[in-house]
Amino acid sequence: MTAYTPDALISADIHAYLDGHARKSMLRFITCGSVDDGKSTLIGRLLYDSKTIFEDQLSQLEADSKRLGTQGENIDFALLVDGLAAEREQGITIDVAYRFFATETRKFIVADTPGHEQYTRNMVTGASTADLAVILIDARKGVLTQTRRHSFLAHLIGIRHIVLAVNKMDLVDHDQARFDAIVADYADFARGIGIEAFTAIPLSGLTGANVTSASPAMPWYGGPALLPHLESVPVAVDRAAAAPFRMPVQWVNRPDLDFRGFAGTIAAGRVAPGDSVRIVPSGKTTRVARIVSFDGNRELAEAGDAVTLVLADEVDCSRGDVIAAADSPPEAANQFEATIVWLADTDLVPGRGYRLKLGTHTVGATVQPPAHVVDVNTQAHLSAKTLSLNDIGVAEVYTDAPLVFAPYADSRELGGFILIDRETNATVAAGMIHHALRRAQNVHWQSVDITREAHARQKGQQPRLLWFTGLSGSGKSTIANLVERKLHALGRHSFLLDGDNIRHGLNRDLGFSDADRIENIRRVGEVAKLMTDAGLIVLTAFISPFRAERELVRGLLPAGEFVEIFVDTPLADAEARDVKGLYAKARAGEIAHFTGISSPYEAPVSPEIQIDTRRESAEAAAERIVEHVLGIWSFEL
Amino acid sequence: MLYSVGKDSAVMLHLARKAFFPAKPPFPLLHVDTTWKFRAMYDLRDKAAAAAGMELIVHTNPDALAAGINPFDHGSRHTDLWKTEGLKQALKAGGYDAAFGGARRDEEKSRAKERIFSFRSASQGWDPKAQRPELWNLYNARIHRGESIRVFPLSNWTELDIWQYILDQGIEIVPLYFAAPRPTVERDGMLLMVDDDRFRLHPGEVPVERSIRFRTLGCYPLTGAVESEAATLPAVIQEMLLTTTSERQGRAIDHDQAASMEKKKREGYF
């Protein structure tokens, strides 16, 4: 058995060989199929035939093949790829593994996503960086449900090159009629989901037929073998370079007062010194003065290059902004329709605040209930109220700041986003923007002459939102009322929002389910924000049990204006007081979703003020809060 | 940035200097020292840090120092205490929320699935189930206090990419990568270099001068050399490409079980 046999050029002219290596293009692809389809065998065969396997690895492989393999005395290529057996023993799960090989003309990274569990999540992850998908079919079985699922996901994530690898042709006597029937069957399906073109190749990973070169066993097949096809497919970088210039700003490079550059990776197009550019979303225009690099200034940079741009004018520009071709800038909006793939064990909570990261920009965002979810096996649209692990749905997404974007179909860099849970920091979803909502494009912020600063100045105060949170009966309203009285006596302008004036009016359509509680707090937050814009000191007294929503409201306000006040009363004490008799009813099962009894309360982690009601009287607490608030003012003034 | 003075570290440091130019990289270099590295590594370490204008933090595990842990008497405990424990101590002492490392996915089967942003719990443990999906080039770097992230910017580089880039950019690497006559002894099928007088010779063992070079660098009594005449970078690369055994064979740490890397990772080795 021959292992690694080096390229003749290596001994003849190492410089020429390395020069060639430096100029090789890179193709990233994903293989879709299960172990049963011979996927690991095929990848192992590609590594083996492209001479990427060294002698010691080969001897290890031979030993493993005898011990664990399924191919008798022959080499089991699957073992080369699979570390899976050992990993199962240790309880380690593979989700996406990346393998590397190179030929004389191209370098390859293969994303391999074994297993059936969590398949959607893993495949979408592996496919997100791939230019091409190899969909494996067992020639004996033909197009299966999983073939349709893999193809749908590959198409969904925007892979333009689909290879239908009809494997195990040796087991159907290399029969052309069988191959043609499978291809016809697949073509019908592919057209139906919008795949415009695909390349079908009959092969055998086991025998190597049509893997690296045309097989004499299938003279009727006139197309390329798999590897030559992978070597000739155009890669995405070429396409991105032809689009208008866009560079999301990653970092402002400011080592001293004399230098200010904007660093980032060019998402699309080309740029040269002298080019007119526009900063989006601000819309300011300027020119590129220099493209700075460690090796001197550059005359040109293009998609994929990481560069630092120096601009001709002192324009406002920071991380998350996009520097773009002045005559064709991208859009900015704060409401979108998007396809969302849910990646977390905990379901989407519509209306809850998440962090959304797109390009270099992270903003607060909420997701509306999905318009529909897609059954990945049948591609049927189903109705749903939420998204669970591995669900794919279409929903509206609202962000709390304008986002510079492009439809995902045009740009993965400016159209793909992830959602991050505010509480756990987990990556919970991946999204692909379809388009901005019409109303978002048409609702421009009305520019106002009297600014929030002017409002506050007239009242002689700094606006604040004093957010009281705690269990029912903890004393939030009592303390908040005392604080407001003191502020009033000191001549401050304030307003108290509580359950009575909100639940009976603005929010009378809401109940007490988790979703309604979230919407309740969101509305309170928005109203409170408007009142702080008017210069008021706003006090709110709501249980507001979820950290994520409190953080969402904090994010609505300028830094320092949100003051979280945790009225910390143990459940036993609050229940013992039971001023309104609610705990008794909840214990009796008469009130559903009662915080502390049948619904959780997430205590603040680091509130600005914490009040232990067992140790501090309401009067003393109110005094301390007023001091805290006024203290901040005197510090700032 | 974890800086081990090896060729991958050299490339990573070079990339960081380019990325932040004309500013200096806004983080320090951290070398987790075992006191048993090759002398030539210490020389280049100090020189490279000075050239980059970056702060160099050197951590030596005081417990290992006090216990006199060494590669001759303590076998795998040497690596555990100096490297694994030492790294944990150093990261904890610095309170770093993220640390760059030079590991590549092509090095070893168990690394093929490693994330580029690898999440560590507050106890610095690596839980495969807690790793975050990485889509496109969107990395989620948000953590709670006490948690941290190891970042592997060279994940998608191959060994040949590393060598080719060193040649192309003229990056200085430790001279031990190039063949030269050096004092050696042959032991358990490995060629070891007698780098200083702490090396314990067995009865009858006499250092022999051989023309050798190293494919990987670590603690000198644990790192096997190969006999070679390749004294220039192109010659080394040529020899690497023409050779028929893979890179890690010279590292004693791998001679345990196949899944040793996986285990070491869970213990916090990387």
Side-chain angles (χ1 to χ4, degrees), chain B residues 27-183:
Chain B
F27 41 77
L29 295 172
L30 173 62
H31 182 225
V32 178
D33 190 16
T34 66
T35 72
W36 288 93
K37 303 292 181 189
F38 291 93
R39 283 174 301 166
M41 294 173 72
Y42 294 111
D43 295 344
L44 182 65
R45 177 192 73 186
D46 297 344
K47 189 178 165 192
M54 293 165 72
E55 184 193 355
L56 171 68
I57 298 168
V58 176
H59 180 83
T60 48
N61 179 354
D63 304 335
L65 196 64
I69 301 295
N70 67 73
F72 298 106
D73 297 321
H74 300 101
S76 66
R77 275 188 70 208
H78 172 78
T79 306
D80 288 346
L81 274 169
W82 281 115
K83 292 191 77 171
T84 310
E85 276 308 308
L87 176 59
K88 282 189 196 172
Q89 288 171 352
L91 292 177
K92 194 175 172 194
Y96 307 112
D97 45 13
F100 294 99
R104 308 188 316 266
R105 283 170 174 157
D106 82 326
E107 281 177 83
E108 220 254 345
K109 212 150 60 172
S110 76
R111 285 191 187 170
K113 61 177 184 290
E114 179 61 283
R115 300 292 198 274
I116 291 176
F117 278 52
S118 181
F119 178 79
R120 305 299 155 106
S121 65
S123 57
Q124 300 194 18
W126 176 79
D127 174 4
K129 292 200 175 63
Q131 298 307 311
R132 296 163 176 177
E134 290 183 340
L135 292 106
W136 302 291
N137 55 355
L138 294 176
Y139 303 103
N140 171 2
R142 300 200 82 91
I143 51 170
H144 289 118
R145 187 165 302 165
E147 296 168 345
S148 62
I149 292 177
R150 306 280 166 86
V151 186
F152 301 112
L154 302 181
S155 285
N156 287 336
W157 292 52
T158 64
E159 196 194 359
L160 181 56
D161 294 336
I162 296 280
W163 282 117
Q164 188 258 316
Y165 191 70
I166 288 171
L167 180 67
D168 183 66
Q169 299 281 309
I171 300 169
E172 185 173 3
I173 55 173
V174 182
L176 294 163
Y177 285 112
F178 306 115
R182 295 183 172 106

Side-chain angles (χ1 to χ4, degrees), chain A residues 4 6-7 9-15 17-19 21-22 24 26 28 54-57 60 64 79-83 86-87 90-101 107 109 121 124-126 128-129 157 251 253-255 259 263 265 292-296 308 343 355 357-360 362 408 412-413 416-420 422-427 429-432, chain B residues 13-14 16-26 104-117 119 126 128-145 147 154-165 167-169 215 232-250 257-260 262-263 266:
Chain A
Y4 181 82
D7 196 312
L9 192 57
I10 294 170
S11 2
D13 186 348
I14 183 68
H15 287 281
Y17 177 83
L18 289 172
D19 198 37
H21 181 77
K24 285 175 190 173
M26 158 98 75
R28 299 187 64 152
F54 293 100
E55 199 172 70
D56 55 333
Q57 291 174 322
Q60 178 77 39
D64 287 352
L79 293 174
L80 206 52
V81 182
D82 255 355
E87 285 169 335
Q90 295 183 63
I92 294 170
T93 49
I94 282 197
D95 36 22
V96 187
Y98 298 89
R99 321 275 170 192
F100 303 79
F101 68 97
K107 300 192 261 190
I109 301 180
R121 166 186 152 138
V124 165
T125 303
S128 71
T129 50
I157 208 82
W251 186 60
N253 191 342
R254 184 140 220 200
F259 186 90
T265 298
V292 175
S293 92
F294 191 74
D295 306 307
T308 298
L343 309 171
R355 292 182 209 280
K357 185 173 185 189
L358 179 146
T360 56
T362 304
Y408 183 78
R412 285 184 180 185
E413 287 78 8
F417 62 85
I418 56 173
L419 293 177
I420 299 168
R422 283 173 180 271
E423 189 52 36
T424 65
N425 288 329
T427 302
M432 290 156 278
Chain B
L13 173 58
H14 187 75
R17 292 180 66 188
K18 292 181 87 160
F20 290 98
F21 180 86
K24 288 170 187 158
R104 308 188 316 266
R105 283 170 174 157
D106 82 326
E107 281 177 83
E108 220 254 345
K109 212 150 60 172
S110 76
R111 285 191 187 170
K113 61 177 184 290
E114 179 61 283
R115 300 292 198 274
I116 291 176
F117 278 52
F119 178 79
W126 176 79
K129 292 200 175 63
Q131 298 307 311
R132 296 163 176 177
E134 290 183 340
L135 292 106
W136 302 291
N137 55 355
L138 294 176
Y139 303 103
N140 171 2
R142 300 200 82 91
I143 51 170
H144 289 118
R145 187 165 302 165
E147 296 168 345
L154 302 181
S155 285
N156 287 336
W157 292 52
T158 64
E159 196 194 359
L160 181 56
D161 294 336
I162 296 280
W163 282 117
Q164 188 258 316
Y165 191 70
L167 180 67
D168 183 66
Q169 299 281 309
R215 290 177 177 161
T232 64
L233 196 50
V236 167
I237 300 174
Q238 192 170 33
E239 201 169 87
M240 192 272 297
L241 290 170
L242 293 173
T243 197
T244 52
T245 50
S246 64
E247 179 186 11
R248 299 193 66 88
Q249 215 187 23
Q257 52 221 1
S260 65
E262 190 77 60
K263 263 184 66 193
R266 295 185 116 179

Side-chain angles (χ1 to χ4, degrees), chain A residues 14-259:
Chain A
I14 183 68
H15 287 281
Y17 177 83
L18 289 172
D19 198 37
H21 181 77
R23 281 189 277 109
K24 285 175 190 173
S25 58
M26 158 98 75
L27 180 80
R28 299 187 64 152
F29 68 98
I30 180 169
T31 51
C32 314
S34 68
V35 179
D36 303 336
D37 302 321
K39 182 174 54 147
S40 296
T41 304
L42 182 66
I43 297 172
R45 170 66 74 172
L46 283 171
L47 299 183
Y48 180 82
D49 285 349
S50 64
K51 301 161 187 156
T52 314
I53 299 165
F54 293 100
E55 199 172 70
D56 55 333
Q57 291 174 322
L58 189 66
S59 58
Q60 178 77 39
L61 178 65
E62 280 168 353
D64 287 352
S65 295
K66 284 192 186 120
R67 195 160 53 89
L68 303 163
T70 56
Q71 301 301 323
E73 285 300 299
N74 294 324
I75 285 193
D76 186 348
F77 291 108
L79 293 174
L80 206 52
V81 182
D82 255 355
L84 216 56
E87 285 169 335
R88 280 209 194 100
E89 280 168 27
Q90 295 183 63
I92 294 170
T93 49
I94 282 197
D95 36 22
V96 187
Y98 298 89
R99 321 275 170 192
F100 303 79
F101 68 97
T103 65
E104 282 167 31
T105 56
R106 192 167 260 187
K107 300 192 261 190
F108 297 93
I109 301 180
V110 195
D112 180 22
T113 56
H116 299 282
E117 282 171 56
Q118 313 233 332
Y119 199 84
T120 295
R121 166 186 152 138
N122 296 338
M123 187 178 149
V124 165
T125 303
S128 71
T129 50
D131 302 310
L132 177 146
V134 176
I135 312 260
L136 269 119
I137 287 190
D138 183 332
R140 296 168 303 174
K141 296 179 185 157
V143 176
L144 301 177
T145 298
Q146 70 163 19
T147 315
R148 289 189 276 269
R149 180 170 67 201
H150 298 157
S151 304
F152 169 72
L153 290 172
H155 182 63
L156 177 86
I157 208 82
I159 289 179
R160 284 157 193 265
H161 303 287
I162 305 272
V163 172
L164 187 71
V166 181
N167 195 17
K168 304 195 181 182
M169 285 302 291
D170 53 316
L171 298 182
V172 295
D173 299 326
H174 303 108
D175 179 18
Q176 181 180 6
R178 179 70 193 140
F179 175 73
D180 290 345
I182 290 171
V183 173
D185 193 11
Y186 185 80
D188 273 352
F189 158 75
R191 249 193 315 277
I193 63 166
I195 294 175
E196 288 161 13
F198 64 93
T199 303
I201 303 175
L203 52 81
S204 167
L206 192 67
T207 67
N210 283 338
V211 175
T212 52
S213 56
S215 165
M218 289 173 272
W220 47 265
Y221 173 68
L226 179 61
L227 196 57
H229 179 67
L230 296 176
E231 285 180 315
S232 64
V233 163
V235 288
V237 172
D238 307 335
R239 201 165 47 86
F245 174 68
R246 272 117 182 72
M247 186 188 91
V249 175
Q250 189 176 8
W251 186 60
V252 180
N253 191 342
R254 184 140 220 200
D256 54 54
L257 292 175
D258 300 326
F259 186 90

Side-chain angles (χ1 to χ4, degrees), chain A residues 430-452:
Chain A
M432 290 156 278
I433 291 178
H434 301 174
H435 50 76
L437 299 180
R438 188 170 286 267
R439 60 177 175 272
Q441 289 165 313
N442 293 336
V443 177
H444 295 289
W445 293 103
Q446 183 65 46
S447 74
V448 285
D449 297 333
I450 307 300
T451 62
R452 72 195 307 276

